[in-house]
Amino acid sequence: MIILFFGDIVGEEATEYLLKRLQQLRDHHRVDLVIANAENCAPNGLGMTAWQAEALLANGVDVITGGNHSWDSPESVRALDNPFVLRPLNLAPGVPGHGSLILEVEDELVTVVNLADACSMKSVRAVQGKWTPAYAAWEAAERAGTVIVDYHGDHVLEKQIFARAVDGEAAAVLGTHTHEATLPLHVLPGGTALVTDVGMTGPTGGVQGFGYDIFVAGLRSTGNPFELGIPRPISGPIELGAVLLEVDGGKTLNMQRIS
């Protein structure tokens, strides 16, 4: 089985870019399953719009994952009603959306699990007091067949420890959230692929795909780069943050970057 995973899609231009290239990438690499983290794909980079989720799913993405921006707008929350749109699983009951999905791919079962660390979720009002530890949620989750984890988090250490803990149980632990691709690609002894951060699919020239002037002005004037708000995604050349996995029997045989 060939699985293609895209890191955080940032903004409208990156979404359009991916929509235009996705079928070509699927055909060229003979992809069986596409997963994309789309929590930043809205025009302002915060959440997603319903049309974007529908367009991605209609044009080659099979499962959409999320993170701390999954509840940033009413429209983004509505998108979570779609069974193929996930948000982090490790949250207490009452938070909109769901965090895992079992689907059939080429007569095989695949489970996609979306998790997040505490640091990435600490400022999300929708989940205040409702974050639960990722590993406990993993243990309680229903899983079948090949298991792919989107681990949305700030901490390299936590992602690597989690991957070691599930080595042989998950086919891959794929880090998202920081938007900055990490160089090493690991296949652990038990067959679990690990990359600390896949990197963004988004515009270059800014900071994490966003414009930087407002951040810099906030930092210089108040000492807090977020004091003046969050700028919109910058306009510029799109970089592709993605990894391609070759999986057999629930274990990864090979992983490579697609750029």
Side-chain angles (χ1 to χ4, degrees):
M1 180 185 301
I2 304 298
I3 299 172
L4 179 58
F5 184 99
F6 293 96
D8 305 63
I9 306 169
V10 181
E12 202 164 20
E13 289 185 17
T15 306
E16 294 288 351
Y17 171 88
L18 189 56
L19 288 172
K20 292 175 182 177
R21 294 200 60 197
L22 194 48
Q23 193 56 55
Q24 178 188 5
L25 287 168
R26 285 197 73 135
D27 292 344
H28 179 72
H29 295 287
R30 299 181 179 180
V31 174
D32 300 302
L33 175 69
V34 172
I35 305 167
N37 186 298
E39 61 139 19
N40 290 119
C41 71
N44 66 355
L46 306 176
M48 71 183 80
T49 65
W51 81 260
Q52 287 175 314
E54 292 168 2
L56 287 167
L57 292 169
N59 287 276
V61 173
D62 299 296
V63 182
I64 292 172
T65 55
N68 54 302
H69 290 292
S70 291
W71 305 270
D72 275 2
S73 69
E75 193 169 3
S76 190
V77 172
R78 284 195 296 272
L80 297 176
D81 290 335
N82 190 308
F84 297 96
V85 178
L86 305 182
R87 49 76 167 161
L89 172 69
N90 50 314
L91 299 168
V95 178
H98 56 288
S100 64
L101 172 67
I102 298 174
L103 67 162
E104 190 172 305
V105 180
E106 298 295 321
D107 299 323
E108 295 183 42
L109 292 179
V110 176
T111 304
V112 182
V113 179
N114 197 172
L115 297 170
D117 71 6
C119 189
S120 69
M121 304 296 284
K122 65 183 178 182
S123 62
V124 184
R125 293 180 182 178
V127 304
Q128 288 299 300
K130 296 182 177 180
W131 179 86
T132 61
Y135 189 72
W138 161 266
E139 287 191 303
E142 181 183 357
R143 306 190 302 271
T146 294
V147 184
I148 305 295
V149 179
D150 176 343
Y151 200 113
H152 200 76
D154 279 298
H155 292 297
V156 171
L157 189 66
E158 288 190 27
K159 293 176 185 179
Q160 293 187 351
I161 292 170
F162 179 85
R164 291 288 179 175
V166 303
D167 186 22
E169 299 179 71
V173 175
L174 306 174
T176 58
H177 181 58
T178 72
H179 296 203
E180 189 77 3
T182 51
L183 181 61
L185 300 177
H186 309 273
V187 178
L188 302 182
T192 296
L194 166 66
V195 56
T196 301
D197 204 287
V198 176
M200 71 172 181
T201 297
T204 59
V207 291
Q208 291 193 330
F210 292 83
Y212 56 85
D213 289 347
I214 292 174
F215 286 138
V216 171
L219 180 63
R220 286 175 171 170
S221 61
T222 71
N224 178 2
F226 303 101
E227 183 68 26
L228 303 180
I230 298 177
R232 294 175 71 86
I234 199 167
S235 181
I238 304 298
E239 70 177 35
L240 191 64
V243 292
L244 190 72
L245 307 173
E246 180 186 356
V247 178
D248 185 46
K251 300 182 185 301
T252 295
L253 304 180
N254 182 56
M255 174 169 55
Q256 60 179 298
R257 283 202 170 277
I258 303 297
S259 61

